[in-house]
Amino acid sequence: MQIRLFNTLTRKVEDFNPIIPNHVGFYSCGPTVYHYAHLGNLRTMVHNDLLKRMFLANGFDVNHVMNITDVGHLTDEDNDSGEDKMEKGAARDHKSVWDIAQFYLDEFLRDADDLNIMRPTNMPRATEYIKEQIELIQELEKRGYTYEIPGDGIYYDTSKFADYGALTGGSLSGQKAGARVEYNDAKRNPTDFALWKYSPKDVKRQMEWDSPWGIGFPGWHTECCVMSMKLLGEHFDIHTGGEDLSRVHHTNEIAQSEPIVGKPWVHYWVHFSFLVDKSGDKMSKSKGEFLGMNAVRARNIEPIVYRYWIVLGHYQSQLAFSFEALESAEAGYKNIVRKVADLMNDNTQTATNQEQYDQWHNKILAPVSDNLKTAESLVVFQDLLKDKTVDNVTKLALVKFVDELLGLQFIEHAQKLHDLETQEAPESVKQMAQQRLEAKKSRDFATADALRNQIDESGWTVMDTVDGFKLVKKQ
Ligand code: AMP
Ligand code: ZN
């Protein structure tokens, strides 16, 4: 099936043509592990996963690399100033930088697992690639792209790269005009950025390395260039990230890579729109109430419901988060799980109808392959569930396919529901239900009510039926 994606570089939806047939190499900017991931970060990670699953469903072999940023990401990204987010996080948590990196990475992976995000093929850390980052800076230095700001670090001279800003359609002069007034005025151009920052004089940083220029640490934009090229090859198919990254981070990645490997370094740039709060502001780790997966868990909403809510939107549109929106998604999710559990009650053992399976399979896959229209696939899927001409065995085989494509675990959750509903109650509970039935018959409602409560406390719900009662395990 022809795959199409919106390419930020050309600003249009394009046919996807891989460098190697049936193979895709893609790189995603991963989390900075100085805090828990917020729901916005996780939205971006779910979109990465949906992109990956779409390729897998189209028979591609996928090499997905996502980095872990554990050094060099400064609080003031535009000016290469402020504090290192990792050192700041370590001071806040009273732990070492290395300890918080491991702690928040583990927490991130727990969230990712709960959201049924497949692990990337490779998850390199910036601190594992310091040598390669120094080598890249040396290459740029040899080609005349760098200069030193004494006491500060080695900078990239953006005026030397003719195509600077092409990713967002801006020229260097355009960016200058629109640039913020405040900037490091020792820089030759406002868009210049740090390749290597010196450790401040008389300060011993927890993370610092020796280099040809002096002790310090690499600038944030360098890590993604070296890790992607090392693990995916000098030219690769797709680079992804949140929408905020195109203007500076990805623009600077291109500026560092193309002078060395030639154009185009990356063929398709895919950017995911932000999760915003009710007032339309970007969700961030430093603002207001911290909304991460723990806030969702605290409301007893299953993390997979958050994934379902994301699938209902499109990656090129911002989504405004609220718990009300999530709760209504929860109702929709449970509704589908209910229908899938009902399919499981059918004991007929017919074979899958291959012709119908193929038809629906393609109808479900087509919208996702066309620029990741996941919500449209879900609509087709709901039509399938309603279609009386398709038997339950074929339907269940298609639910399995939808689970692979969208990662929504419908089968798993429906199976749990089905098991609960078909579970046999213990003898003691059955006896209480029998006694309750007799109490009701003799109009002893006080005893009947007391027995109902006891049954309830044992984790079962008793329901009246025409021929007696039914016991259902509580969820
Ligand atoms: P960070 O942990 O800040 O390095 O960000 C990790 C990823 O999350 C990057 O791809 C960001 O672009 C993305 N991101 C940051 N904020 C949001 C947001 N509010 N909504 C969606 N993605 C975001
Ligand atoms: Zn990056």
Side-chain angles (χ1 to χ4, degrees), residues 29-32 38 40-41 44-45 73 241-242 244-245 274-275 283 285:
C29 289
T32 308
H38 60 60
N41 302 135
T44 283
M45 304 308 162
H73 195 166
D244 57 326
L245 300 186
F274 266 167
L275 182 75
M283 186 161 288
K285 295 186 195 184

Side-chain angles (χ1 to χ4, degrees), residues 28-34 36-45 48 69 73 77 85 220 240-245 250 272-276 281-285:
S28 308
C29 289
T32 308
V33 282
Y34 69 107
Y36 294 99
H38 60 60
L39 294 178
N41 302 135
L42 294 168
R43 177 185 186 201
T44 283
M45 304 308 162
N48 281 323
T69 300
H73 195 166
E77 288 165 9
K85 291 185 177 182
W220 173 41
T240 74
E243 62 175 318
D244 57 326
L245 300 186
H250 291 162
F272 308 121
S273 294
F274 266 167
L275 182 75
V276 293
D281 290 338
K282 156 186 181 333
M283 186 161 288
S284 79
K285 295 186 195 184

